[in-house]
Amino acid sequence: MTEAVQTLKRQRVRMILVNLAYFMVLLLLGVLLFLQNDAAGVTGYLLVAACLAGYLLLVRPMSKRYVNAVREAILRYAVCAELTDFNHQSKSGVTAEAVRACGLVPASADTFMSREHITGNCGTMAVEMADVTFPIIEDGRNAMFSGAFVQLAWPGADFAPVTVKAGETGSLSLPKQQMELVESLGELIPGSLYLKAGGETLTLLLRGRFLGFRVNPLVQISEQTLGANPFPELRQAMQLARLMQLERL
């Protein structure tokens, strides 16, 4: 992690300096055009166009690359700290069929979107996650389901059948520790938890929770920054899977 912190610190300094330089040029251009009033003519428009091009081609992409690098580091070192073979593809995702197969909510492939695809392993347990967005019918009305998809596949496991939809846990009959973990999975946003366990898989849909979380580019980078977990639900789900498997042994 130490090397990642140093790399991100250097990227942050370059990003801030480029942004400051851009806004200084923009300020000077504004003052120049104000002093010359309408006399700048075509030259003024060309300078404005050059500044806009500089922002779109240099400043904005650099800022986005830095934010994405910080997010990936947090995902690697905090959210997925227990995983080996960590792989993150921000522009790819899971399929609509993978979400539909869990049987928690219907997902049409025609209007299904997914990003922030993560895969990895914890021992023999395979982990797959992504952000998903797709339309659903809710209370007879069209709505959007946006959130995180998490699936744990543990070859040889025998999870007891458990289903939770929209955070409704009243009908569950689980041991105390397992029940506490299920409740903690949905406590950040009431009604956000959709859970399906059975056989070798445990699947979560967490409405309103995202792996593509926001990153403030002005925050100082440190090991504490990268170690702060913005998505504790993965760790809780893995602990729930372990407890459910121990109970079946």
Side-chain angles (χ1 to χ4, degrees):
M1 183 188 293
T2 301
E3 184 178 348
V5 169
Q6 295 306 317
T7 300
L8 288 173
K9 282 184 175 180
R10 291 191 293 269
Q11 291 180 5
R12 179 176 179 271
V13 170
R14 287 197 296 268
M15 183 268 301
I16 290 176
L17 289 177
V18 168
N19 274 273
L20 286 175
Y22 169 75
F23 285 111
M24 286 298 295
V25 170
L26 199 63
L27 178 61
L28 291 173
L29 176 61
V31 171
L32 177 64
L33 293 177
F34 175 77
L35 292 176
Q36 292 187 352
N37 201 5
D38 293 333
V42 175
T43 302
Y45 287 115
L46 290 176
L47 289 173
V48 171
C51 285
L52 181 59
Y55 175 77
L56 294 175
L57 297 176
L58 176 63
V59 180
R60 185 181 179 187
M62 177 177 284
S63 298
K64 290 183 69 175
R65 283 196 299 271
Y66 171 72
V67 166
N68 289 338
V70 173
R71 182 183 295 113
E72 178 159 341
I74 294 173
L75 288 169
R76 179 186 296 271
Y77 295 110
V79 176
C80 301
E82 297 183 53
L83 302 187
T84 58
D85 304 319
F86 171 85
N87 184 54
H88 173 224
Q89 300 292 329
S90 63
K91 294 184 179 181
S92 65
V94 297
T95 64
E97 177 57 35
V99 175
R100 190 164 51 242
C102 69
L104 290 169
V105 286
S108 170
D110 295 335
T111 50
F112 181 87
M113 294 182 293
S114 182
R115 293 173 62 88
E116 307 296 342
H117 191 211
I118 295 173
T119 58
N121 298 285
C122 183
T124 58
M125 184 191 304
V127 176
E128 183 173 26
M129 302 189 293
D131 286 342
V132 294
T133 300
F134 51 91
I136 60 172
I137 302 297
E138 189 172 54
D139 298 327
R141 298 180 180 179
N142 294 328
M144 294 300 292
F145 190 106
S146 294
F149 169 87
V150 180
Q151 187 165 78
L152 311 179
W154 195 345
D158 184 23
F159 299 131
V162 175
T163 301
V164 175
K165 293 185 178 182
E168 293 295 333
T169 60
S171 62
L172 294 184
S173 179
L174 295 172
K176 180 180 178 182
Q177 281 186 295
Q178 294 182 32
M179 195 66 195
E180 289 175 349
L181 282 168
V182 170
E183 291 174 347
S184 68
L185 283 167
E187 68 182 357
L188 290 177
I189 302 178
S192 64
L193 175 63
Y194 292 73
L195 181 152
K196 183 71 172 290
E200 297 182 342
T201 62
L202 187 152
T203 305
L204 302 176
L205 281 167
L206 297 164
R207 196 171 187 178
R209 297 287 292 148
F210 300 98
L211 299 167
F213 47 82
R214 292 184 178 181
V215 173
N216 184 351
L218 300 180
V219 171
Q220 290 281 357
I221 296 297
S222 65
E223 292 193 7
Q224 288 72 30
T225 305
L226 300 189
N229 190 349
F231 194 85
E233 290 91 343
L234 173 61
R235 192 167 298 171
Q236 294 163 350
M238 292 170 65
Q239 180 61 22
L240 175 62
R242 294 186 186 105
L243 290 175
M244 293 179 72
Q245 177 61 3
L246 282 174
E247 183 188 22
R248 306 287 279 188
L249 294 177

